[in-house]
């Protein structure tokens, strides 16, 4: 079984920690559990945001993986705001500051309770960078499981509907090209279920960049919210965090200047959300790494835009997953990457890409 790390010893070991242990026993822990690593499941599940409504189930898969590898999992939730739902009214001033509140709340929970490691389940625009920022600030072994893309919607002849198409349909209804009844039918099928909006909005952009930064297992970013593969990723990530704990691999060893360079390269190849600049700079700040707007210009001038994904292209993000996902994108721009970047696989980007075909 996994080695018992020092952090949680502060609450599980020694005569003067009897009261702390009593409180842990109250949560259902056993004597054997006191010898195991204490691992946080940092979930952002809620019932109002489609990108997060399925995360309760994925949290269970994460905890199963942690237990299989010899850890004790304890889950808590963070808030998460839907950027799409809060547009065009008073609510739109709330999502960006939510990022800092989420990061602070994770820091509070993880530091107060002396967790040894964590697996994080973020989904939407501000939630993903918030979780990464907290991971860098706390710097204990961490694997991230991003929520996964939403399926594209279907209506009549059109099979690639995403949230961005709704704006076009509103315009067509306003100009009388389609009826209000038809608009009503379209809006009921445009977002067919859980997941992060099916285009390269900020949510899927940041989910993909989390994988490029080396913080998720390869392939996780484009594994769909509703697919069984996402449950498998969640379970494997629970197991993998214990391996990282044994190797002493923490987020600041993963998110280096090389990792941020690689994230910008991928962002340019993907044609990601412009908000990614804002978030990558905040992530760099937490990691203590200098990142300038000039870095985006410099890399953007040399890296080709390869992806035909909405809103700038024709296809939903799910199509990228069907054609090899982020590993295939990285393979295509491999000559621009820093190959020595460490990732949560315990291997470098170069090693991770060695077997990738596209």
């Amino acid at each position: 079984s996994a080695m018992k790390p020092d952090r949680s010893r502060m609450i599980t070991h020694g005569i003067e920690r009897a009261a702390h242990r009593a409180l842990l026993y109250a949560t259902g822990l056993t004597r054997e559990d006191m010898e195991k690593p204490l691992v946080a499941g940092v979930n952002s599940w809620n019932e109002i945001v489609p990108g997060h409504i399925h995360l309760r189930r994925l949290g269970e898969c994460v905890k199963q993986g942690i237990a299989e590898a010899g850890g004790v999992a304890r889950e808590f939730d963070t808030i998460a705001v839907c950027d799409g739902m809060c547009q065009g009214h008073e609510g739109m001033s709330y999502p960006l500051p939510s990022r800092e509140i989420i990061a602070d709340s994770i820091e509070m929970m993880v530091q107060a309770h002396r967790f040894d490691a964590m697996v994080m389940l973020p989904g939407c625009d501000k939630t993903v960078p918030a979780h990464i920022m907290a991971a860098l600030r706390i710097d204990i072994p961490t694997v991230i499981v991003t929520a996964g893309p939403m399926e594209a919607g279907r209506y009549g002849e059109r099979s690639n509907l995403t949230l961005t198409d709704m704006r076009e349909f509103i315009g067509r209804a306003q100009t009388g090209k389609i009826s209000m009844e038809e608009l009503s039918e379209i809006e009921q099928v445009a977002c067919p279920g859980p997941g992060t909006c099916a285009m390269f909005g900020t949510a899927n952009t940041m989910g993909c960049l989390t994988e490029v930064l080396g913080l998720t297992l390869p392939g996780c970013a484009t594994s769909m919210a509703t697919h069984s593969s996402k449950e498998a990723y969640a379970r494997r990530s629970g197991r993998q965090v214990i391996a990282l704990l044994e190797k002493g691999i923490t987020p600041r060893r993963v998110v280096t200047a090389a990792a941020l360079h690689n994230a910008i390269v991928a962002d340019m190849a993907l044609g990601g959300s412009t908000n990614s600049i804002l978030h990558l700079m905040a992530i760099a700040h937490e990691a203590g790494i200098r990142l300038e707007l000039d870095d985006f210009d410099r890399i953007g001038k040399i890296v080709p835009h390869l992806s035909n994904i909405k809103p700038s292209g024709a296809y939903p993000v799910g199509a990228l997953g069907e054609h090899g996902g982020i590993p295939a994108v990285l393979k295509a721009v491999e000559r621009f990457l820093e190959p020595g970047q460490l990732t949560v696989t315990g291997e470098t980007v170069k090693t991770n890409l060695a077997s990738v075909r596209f």
Side-chain angles (χ1 to χ4, degrees):
S1 83
M3 175 194 71
K4 175 71 174 175
D6 289 338
R7 279 176 59 100
S8 61
R9 275 186 175 276
M10 305 293 277
I11 56 171
T12 59
H13 280 66
I15 187 169
E16 64 285 350
R17 305 300 177 184
H20 300 66
R21 288 192 293 276
L23 291 167
L24 289 170
Y25 286 130
T27 71
L29 263 58
T30 65
R31 266 182 96 157
E32 298 79 57
D33 291 335
M34 299 295 164
E35 300 306 321
K36 298 174 186 174
L38 185 62
V39 184
V42 184
N43 206 330
S44 51
W45 169 84
N46 66 53
E47 289 184 328
I48 190 67
V49 182
H52 296 252
I53 194 164
H54 62 302
L55 293 181
R56 182 179 264 181
R57 170 80 188 114
L58 288 182
E60 294 300 319
C61 299
V62 164
K63 288 186 282 189
Q64 183 182 355
I66 292 166
E68 284 168 353
V72 174
R74 282 291 179 263
E75 190 174 16
F76 66 85
D77 284 322
T78 73
I79 59 168
V81 172
C82 178
D83 272 63
M85 230 178 289
C86 65
Q87 293 305 311
H89 54 80
E90 198 178 322
M92 67 195 294
S93 56
Y94 289 91
L96 187 52
S98 81
R99 187 187 73 184
E100 273 35 51
I101 290 172
I102 293 163
D104 290 349
S105 71
I106 295 168
E107 180 189 1
M108 284 178 179
M109 285 296 286
V110 173
Q111 298 293 48
H113 302 103
R114 310 316 293 156
F115 285 101
D116 296 307
M118 55 186 172
V119 178
M120 309 180 105
L121 284 157
C124 294
D125 302 32
K126 309 306 185 291
T127 327
V128 177
H131 282 229
I132 296 172
M133 289 160 68
L136 289 163
R137 196 183 299 170
I138 301 162
D139 203 35
I140 58 176
T142 301
V143 180
I144 297 179
V145 182
T146 48
M150 184 186 284
E151 302 280 352
R154 291 174 178 274
Y155 181 78
E157 299 295 296
R158 299 186 59 164
S159 62
N160 284 340
L161 294 183
T162 67
L163 191 66
T164 191
D165 296 300
M166 287 310 303
R167 285 149 202 158
E168 175 202 332
F169 287 119
I170 291 166
R172 288 168 70 176
Q174 285 169 333
T175 54
K177 292 195 178 75
I178 61 172
S179 67
M180 291 306 291
E181 286 74 24
E182 193 168 9
L183 180 65
S184 175
E185 283 178 29
I186 295 165
E187 72 193 37
Q188 290 175 63
V189 297
C191 298
T196 44
C197 294
M199 56 189 182
F200 266 139
T202 309
N204 279 320
T205 299
M206 293 312 299
C208 288
L209 295 185
T210 305
E211 184 174 326
V212 180
L213 286 170
L215 293 169
T216 78
L217 294 175
C220 181
T222 54
S223 167
M224 304 297 279
T226 52
H227 287 197
S228 60
S229 67
K230 185 59 85 179
E231 297 190 3
Y233 274 113
R235 188 166 157 194
R236 274 177 51 211
S237 296
R239 292 204 297 265
Q240 183 63 16
V241 82
I242 302 296
L244 296 185
L245 191 60
E246 286 165 354
K247 291 176 182 171
I249 296 175
T250 65
R252 287 196 196 186
R253 286 189 59 195
V254 172
V255 181
T256 56
L260 286 157
H261 168 89
N262 291 346
I264 298 170
V265 169
D267 206 4
M268 297 303 167
L270 292 166
S273 161
T274 49
N275 280 332
S276 60
I277 297 170
L278 190 79
H279 297 313
L280 286 173
M281 291 183 88
I283 287 163
H285 180 75
E286 290 289 352
I289 297 164
R290 262 182 95 78
L291 191 63
E292 309 286 343
L293 285 173
D294 289 349
D295 295 318
F296 292 85
D297 280 343
R298 176 175 50 79
I299 296 167
K301 282 189 175 87
I302 58 165
V303 177
H305 174 222
L306 301 174
S307 305
N308 189 14
I309 304 289
K310 290 189 173 196
S312 63
Y315 297 95
V317 172
L320 178 63
E322 288 164 19
H323 293 85
I326 295 305
V329 172
L330 293 178
K331 193 74 171 179
V333 294
E334 191 168 14
R335 69 186 185 277
F336 300 108
L337 298 177
E338 295 281 357
Q341 178 209 338
L342 183 66
T343 73
V344 295
T345 62
E347 305 288 349
T348 64
V349 167
K350 183 177 181 176
T351 304
N352 290 347
L353 292 178
S355 60
V356 174
R357 302 274 171 271
F358 74 98

PDB file of all heavy atoms in Angstrom, residues 81-99 125-126 167 275 278-279:
ATOM      1  N   VAL A  81     -19.878  28.612 -11.988  1.00  0.00           N
ATOM      2  CA  VAL A  81     -20.849  29.470 -12.668  1.00  0.00           C
ATOM      3  C   VAL A  81     -20.909  29.114 -14.156  1.00  0.00           C
ATOM      4  O   VAL A  81     -19.881  28.831 -14.761  1.00  0.00           O
ATOM      5  CB  VAL A  81     -20.426  30.950 -12.491  1.00  0.00           C
ATOM      6  CG1 VAL A  81     -21.295  31.882 -13.335  1.00  0.00           C
ATOM      7  CG2 VAL A  81     -20.479  31.364 -11.025  1.00  0.00           C
ATOM      8  N   CYS A  82     -22.107  29.149 -14.731  1.00  0.00           N
ATOM      9  CA  CYS A  82     -22.263  28.932 -16.179  1.00  0.00           C
ATOM     10  C   CYS A  82     -22.143  30.265 -16.909  1.00  0.00           C
ATOM     11  O   CYS A  82     -23.028  31.112 -16.807  1.00  0.00           O
ATOM     12  CB  CYS A  82     -23.614  28.297 -16.492  1.00  0.00           C
ATOM     13  SG  CYS A  82     -23.884  28.070 -18.268  1.00  0.00           S
ATOM     14  N   ASP A  83     -21.053  30.446 -17.645  1.00  0.00           N
ATOM     15  CA  ASP A  83     -20.848  31.703 -18.374  1.00  0.00           C
ATOM     16  C   ASP A  83     -21.931  31.966 -19.416  1.00  0.00           C
ATOM     17  O   ASP A  83     -22.269  33.116 -19.675  1.00  0.00           O
ATOM     18  CB  ASP A  83     -19.488  31.682 -19.076  1.00  0.00           C
ATOM     19  CG  ASP A  83     -18.383  32.203 -18.183  1.00  0.00           C
ATOM     20  OD1 ASP A  83     -18.121  31.587 -17.131  1.00  0.00           O
ATOM     21  OD2 ASP A  83     -17.819  33.242 -18.520  1.00  0.00           O
ATOM     22  N   GLY A  84     -22.459  30.905 -20.009  1.00  0.00           N
ATOM     23  CA  GLY A  84     -23.499  31.098 -21.025  1.00  0.00           C
ATOM     24  C   GLY A  84     -24.779  31.641 -20.425  1.00  0.00           C
ATOM     25  O   GLY A  84     -25.423  32.527 -20.989  1.00  0.00           O
ATOM     26  N   MET A  85     -25.151  31.116 -19.266  1.00  0.00           N
ATOM     27  CA  MET A  85     -26.419  31.492 -18.648  1.00  0.00           C
ATOM     28  C   MET A  85     -26.403  32.889 -18.054  1.00  0.00           C
ATOM     29  O   MET A  85     -27.445  33.506 -17.877  1.00  0.00           O
ATOM     30  CB  MET A  85     -26.774  30.480 -17.558  1.00  0.00           C
ATOM     31  CG  MET A  85     -28.181  29.959 -17.684  1.00  0.00           C
ATOM     32  SD  MET A  85     -28.551  28.725 -16.441  1.00  0.00           S
ATOM     33  CE  MET A  85     -27.600  27.328 -16.968  1.00  0.00           C
ATOM     34  N   CYS A  86     -25.223  33.391 -17.720  1.00  0.00           N
ATOM     35  CA  CYS A  86     -25.179  34.687 -17.031  1.00  0.00           C
ATOM     36  C   CYS A  86     -24.917  35.859 -17.978  1.00  0.00           C
ATOM     37  O   CYS A  86     -24.742  36.978 -17.532  1.00  0.00           O
ATOM     38  CB  CYS A  86     -24.170  34.655 -15.898  1.00  0.00           C
ATOM     39  SG  CYS A  86     -22.517  34.443 -16.489  1.00  0.00           S
ATOM     40  N   GLN A  87     -24.928  35.599 -19.305  1.00  0.00           N
ATOM     41  CA  GLN A  87     -24.693  36.697 -20.266  1.00  0.00           C
ATOM     42  C   GLN A  87     -25.922  37.581 -20.428  1.00  0.00           C
ATOM     43  O   GLN A  87     -27.057  37.107 -20.347  1.00  0.00           O
ATOM     44  CB  GLN A  87     -24.305  36.128 -21.636  1.00  0.00           C
ATOM     45  CG  GLN A  87     -22.975  35.418 -21.667  1.00  0.00           C
ATOM     46  CD  GLN A  87     -21.830  36.274 -21.154  1.00  0.00           C
ATOM     47  OE1 GLN A  87     -21.667  37.422 -21.557  1.00  0.00           O
ATOM     48  NE2 GLN A  87     -21.053  35.725 -20.246  1.00  0.00           N
ATOM     49  N   GLY A  88     -25.689  38.868 -20.667  1.00  0.00           N
ATOM     50  CA  GLY A  88     -26.772  39.770 -21.074  1.00  0.00           C
ATOM     51  C   GLY A  88     -27.656  40.262 -19.950  1.00  0.00           C
ATOM     52  O   GLY A  88     -28.742  40.792 -20.200  1.00  0.00           O
ATOM     53  N   HIS A  89     -27.233  40.082 -18.716  1.00  0.00           N
ATOM     54  CA  HIS A  89     -27.998  40.597 -17.566  1.00  0.00           C
ATOM     55  C   HIS A  89     -27.039  40.839 -16.414  1.00  0.00           C
ATOM     56  O   HIS A  89     -25.829  40.671 -16.564  1.00  0.00           O
ATOM     57  CB  HIS A  89     -29.134  39.637 -17.172  1.00  0.00           C
ATOM     58  CG  HIS A  89     -28.681  38.243 -16.911  1.00  0.00           C
ATOM     59  ND1 HIS A  89     -28.096  37.848 -15.728  1.00  0.00           N
ATOM     60  CD2 HIS A  89     -28.685  37.137 -17.702  1.00  0.00           C
ATOM     61  CE1 HIS A  89     -27.779  36.561 -15.797  1.00  0.00           C
ATOM     62  NE2 HIS A  89     -28.113  36.109 -16.990  1.00  0.00           N
ATOM     63  N   GLU A  90     -27.583  41.224 -15.279  1.00  0.00           N
ATOM     64  CA  GLU A  90     -26.763  41.592 -14.123  1.00  0.00           C
ATOM     65  C   GLU A  90     -25.768  40.496 -13.717  1.00  0.00           C
ATOM     66  O   GLU A  90     -24.690  40.767 -13.186  1.00  0.00           O
ATOM     67  CB  GLU A  90     -27.705  41.903 -12.947  1.00  0.00           C
ATOM     68  CG  GLU A  90     -27.090  42.698 -11.833  1.00  0.00           C
ATOM     69  CD  GLU A  90     -28.107  43.009 -10.735  1.00  0.00           C
ATOM     70  OE1 GLU A  90     -29.285  43.275 -11.067  1.00  0.00           O
ATOM     71  OE2 GLU A  90     -27.716  42.963  -9.558  1.00  0.00           O
ATOM     72  N   GLY A  91     -26.129  39.246 -13.998  1.00  0.00           N
ATOM     73  CA  GLY A  91     -25.288  38.117 -13.604  1.00  0.00           C
ATOM     74  C   GLY A  91     -23.923  38.075 -14.268  1.00  0.00           C
ATOM     75  O   GLY A  91     -23.014  37.393 -13.798  1.00  0.00           O
ATOM     76  N   MET A  92     -23.740  38.810 -15.362  1.00  0.00           N
ATOM     77  CA  MET A  92     -22.498  38.675 -16.130  1.00  0.00           C
ATOM     78  C   MET A  92     -21.278  39.268 -15.433  1.00  0.00           C
ATOM     79  O   MET A  92     -20.143  39.020 -15.830  1.00  0.00           O
ATOM     80  CB  MET A  92     -22.646  39.223 -17.544  1.00  0.00           C
ATOM     81  CG  MET A  92     -22.856  40.699 -17.682  1.00  0.00           C
ATOM     82  SD  MET A  92     -23.455  41.139 -19.350  1.00  0.00           S
ATOM     83  CE  MET A  92     -22.064  40.701 -20.379  1.00  0.00           C
ATOM     84  N   SER A  93     -21.489  40.007 -14.357  1.00  0.00           N
ATOM     85  CA  SER A  93     -20.338  40.541 -13.619  1.00  0.00           C
ATOM     86  C   SER A  93     -19.790  39.553 -12.591  1.00  0.00           C
ATOM     87  O   SER A  93     -18.821  39.851 -11.905  1.00  0.00           O
ATOM     88  CB  SER A  93     -20.702  41.861 -12.945  1.00  0.00           C
ATOM     89  OG  SER A  93     -21.820  41.694 -12.111  1.00  0.00           O
ATOM     90  N   TYR A  94     -20.385  38.372 -12.495  1.00  0.00           N
ATOM     91  CA  TYR A  94     -19.988  37.418 -11.464  1.00  0.00           C
ATOM     92  C   TYR A  94     -19.001  36.322 -11.857  1.00  0.00           C
ATOM     93  O   TYR A  94     -18.213  35.891 -11.025  1.00  0.00           O
ATOM     94  CB  TYR A  94     -21.244  36.786 -10.830  1.00  0.00           C
ATOM     95  CG  TYR A  94     -21.977  37.782  -9.963  1.00  0.00           C
ATOM     96  CD1 TYR A  94     -22.985  38.574 -10.479  1.00  0.00           C
ATOM     97  CD2 TYR A  94     -21.612  37.957  -8.632  1.00  0.00           C
ATOM     98  CE1 TYR A  94     -23.636  39.519  -9.700  1.00  0.00           C
ATOM     99  CE2 TYR A  94     -22.247  38.892  -7.838  1.00  0.00           C
ATOM    100  CZ  TYR A  94     -23.256  39.672  -8.377  1.00  0.00           C
ATOM    101  OH  TYR A  94     -23.877  40.604  -7.584  1.00  0.00           O
ATOM    102  N   PRO A  95     -18.998  35.832 -13.102  1.00  0.00           N
ATOM    103  CA  PRO A  95     -18.126  34.679 -13.391  1.00  0.00           C
ATOM    104  C   PRO A  95     -16.639  34.918 -13.178  1.00  0.00           C
ATOM    105  O   PRO A  95     -15.966  34.079 -12.584  1.00  0.00           O
ATOM    106  CB  PRO A  95     -18.399  34.343 -14.851  1.00  0.00           C
ATOM    107  CG  PRO A  95     -19.616  35.055 -15.218  1.00  0.00           C
ATOM    108  CD  PRO A  95     -19.870  36.140 -14.237  1.00  0.00           C
ATOM    109  N   LEU A  96     -16.099  36.037 -13.665  1.00  0.00           N
ATOM    110  CA  LEU A  96     -14.647  36.214 -13.569  1.00  0.00           C
ATOM    111  C   LEU A  96     -14.163  36.229 -12.120  1.00  0.00           C
ATOM    112  O   LEU A  96     -13.235  35.494 -11.773  1.00  0.00           O
ATOM    113  CB  LEU A  96     -14.170  37.439 -14.344  1.00  0.00           C
ATOM    114  CG  LEU A  96     -12.645  37.594 -14.432  1.00  0.00           C
ATOM    115  CD1 LEU A  96     -11.967  36.320 -14.952  1.00  0.00           C
ATOM    116  CD2 LEU A  96     -12.267  38.784 -15.301  1.00  0.00           C
ATOM    117  N   PRO A  97     -14.783  37.030 -11.217  1.00  0.00           N
ATOM    118  CA  PRO A  97     -14.328  36.950  -9.817  1.00  0.00           C
ATOM    119  C   PRO A  97     -14.555  35.582  -9.169  1.00  0.00           C
ATOM    120  O   PRO A  97     -13.882  35.251  -8.191  1.00  0.00           O
ATOM    121  CB  PRO A  97     -15.125  38.049  -9.096  1.00  0.00           C
ATOM    122  CG  PRO A  97     -16.162  38.511 -10.036  1.00  0.00           C
ATOM    123  CD  PRO A  97     -15.748  38.131 -11.421  1.00  0.00           C
ATOM    124  N   SER A  98     -15.456  34.777  -9.723  1.00  0.00           N
ATOM    125  CA  SER A  98     -15.664  33.423  -9.158  1.00  0.00           C
ATOM    126  C   SER A  98     -14.378  32.608  -9.237  1.00  0.00           C
ATOM    127  O   SER A  98     -14.130  31.751  -8.387  1.00  0.00           O
ATOM    128  CB  SER A  98     -16.801  32.681  -9.874  1.00  0.00           C
ATOM    129  OG  SER A  98     -16.384  32.091 -11.101  1.00  0.00           O
ATOM    130  N   ARG A  99     -13.541  32.903 -10.238  1.00  0.00           N
ATOM    131  CA  ARG A  99     -12.289  32.154 -10.391  1.00  0.00           C
ATOM    132  C   ARG A  99     -11.437  32.260  -9.119  1.00  0.00           C
ATOM    133  O   ARG A  99     -10.929  31.261  -8.602  1.00  0.00           O
ATOM    134  CB  ARG A  99     -11.516  32.697 -11.610  1.00  0.00           C
ATOM    135  CG  ARG A  99     -10.282  31.895 -11.993  1.00  0.00           C
ATOM    136  CD  ARG A  99      -9.488  32.579 -13.092  1.00  0.00           C
ATOM    137  NE  ARG A  99      -8.785  33.741 -12.587  1.00  0.00           N
ATOM    138  CZ  ARG A  99      -8.071  34.578 -13.350  1.00  0.00           C
ATOM    139  NH1 ARG A  99      -7.991  34.396 -14.665  1.00  0.00           N
ATOM    140  NH2 ARG A  99      -7.452  35.605 -12.805  1.00  0.00           N
ATOM    141  N   ASP A 125     -15.754  27.510 -17.821  1.00  0.00           N
ATOM    142  CA  ASP A 125     -14.767  28.543 -18.169  1.00  0.00           C
ATOM    143  C   ASP A 125     -13.815  28.925 -17.037  1.00  0.00           C
ATOM    144  O   ASP A 125     -12.600  28.852 -17.183  1.00  0.00           O
ATOM    145  CB  ASP A 125     -15.470  29.823 -18.626  1.00  0.00           C
ATOM    146  CG  ASP A 125     -16.390  29.619 -19.810  1.00  0.00           C
ATOM    147  OD1 ASP A 125     -16.970  28.529 -19.932  1.00  0.00           O
ATOM    148  OD2 ASP A 125     -16.541  30.551 -20.602  1.00  0.00           O
ATOM    149  N   LYS A 126     -14.376  29.404 -15.921  1.00  0.00           N
ATOM    150  CA  LYS A 126     -13.532  29.932 -14.835  1.00  0.00           C
ATOM    151  C   LYS A 126     -13.128  28.845 -13.861  1.00  0.00           C
ATOM    152  O   LYS A 126     -12.145  28.989 -13.130  1.00  0.00           O
ATOM    153  CB  LYS A 126     -14.269  31.044 -14.061  1.00  0.00           C
ATOM    154  CG  LYS A 126     -14.860  32.150 -14.931  1.00  0.00           C
ATOM    155  CD  LYS A 126     -13.840  32.783 -15.855  1.00  0.00           C
ATOM    156  CE  LYS A 126     -14.420  33.969 -16.619  1.00  0.00           C
ATOM    157  NZ  LYS A 126     -15.426  33.620 -17.627  1.00  0.00           N
ATOM    158  N   ARG A 167     -27.232  31.878 -31.424  1.00  0.00           N
ATOM    159  CA  ARG A 167     -27.260  33.323 -31.716  1.00  0.00           C
ATOM    160  C   ARG A 167     -27.697  33.583 -33.157  1.00  0.00           C
ATOM    161  O   ARG A 167     -28.442  34.514 -33.436  1.00  0.00           O
ATOM    162  CB  ARG A 167     -25.884  33.926 -31.417  1.00  0.00           C
ATOM    163  CG  ARG A 167     -25.678  34.053 -29.920  1.00  0.00           C
ATOM    164  CD  ARG A 167     -24.255  33.919 -29.422  1.00  0.00           C
ATOM    165  NE  ARG A 167     -24.271  33.543 -27.995  1.00  0.00           N
ATOM    166  CZ  ARG A 167     -23.281  32.954 -27.350  1.00  0.00           C
ATOM    167  NH1 ARG A 167     -22.184  32.638 -27.985  1.00  0.00           N
ATOM    168  NH2 ARG A 167     -23.406  32.653 -26.070  1.00  0.00           N
ATOM    169  N   ASN A 275     -10.056  34.143 -24.215  1.00  0.00           N
ATOM    170  CA  ASN A 275      -9.976  34.187 -22.740  1.00  0.00           C
ATOM    171  C   ASN A 275      -8.819  33.348 -22.196  1.00  0.00           C
ATOM    172  O   ASN A 275      -8.387  33.556 -21.064  1.00  0.00           O
ATOM    173  CB  ASN A 275     -11.272  33.666 -22.104  1.00  0.00           C
ATOM    174  CG  ASN A 275     -12.369  34.707 -22.109  1.00  0.00           C
ATOM    175  OD1 ASN A 275     -12.107  35.899 -22.087  1.00  0.00           O
ATOM    176  ND2 ASN A 275     -13.599  34.243 -22.138  1.00  0.00           N
ATOM    177  N   LEU A 278      -5.951  35.367 -20.771  1.00  0.00           N
ATOM    178  CA  LEU A 278      -6.216  35.831 -19.401  1.00  0.00           C
ATOM    179  C   LEU A 278      -5.895  34.746 -18.372  1.00  0.00           C
ATOM    180  O   LEU A 278      -5.232  34.992 -17.367  1.00  0.00           O
ATOM    181  CB  LEU A 278      -7.704  36.189 -19.343  1.00  0.00           C
ATOM    182  CG  LEU A 278      -8.319  36.907 -18.177  1.00  0.00           C
ATOM    183  CD1 LEU A 278      -8.007  38.382 -18.275  1.00  0.00           C
ATOM    184  CD2 LEU A 278      -9.832  36.699 -18.228  1.00  0.00           C
ATOM    185  N   HIS A 279      -6.374  33.524 -18.654  1.00  0.00           N
ATOM    186  CA  HIS A 279      -6.227  32.439 -17.681  1.00  0.00           C
ATOM    187  C   HIS A 279      -4.801  31.896 -17.636  1.00  0.00           C
ATOM    188  O   HIS A 279      -4.288  31.603 -16.555  1.00  0.00           O
ATOM    189  CB  HIS A 279      -7.228  31.323 -17.977  1.00  0.00           C
ATOM    190  CG  HIS A 279      -8.651  31.771 -17.835  1.00  0.00           C
ATOM    191  ND1 HIS A 279      -9.095  32.494 -16.759  1.00  0.00           N
ATOM    192  CD2 HIS A 279      -9.727  31.604 -18.635  1.00  0.00           C
ATOM    193  CE1 HIS A 279     -10.385  32.748 -16.903  1.00  0.00           C
ATOM    194  NE2 HIS A 279     -10.795  32.217 -18.038  1.00  0.00           N
TER     195      HIS A 279
END
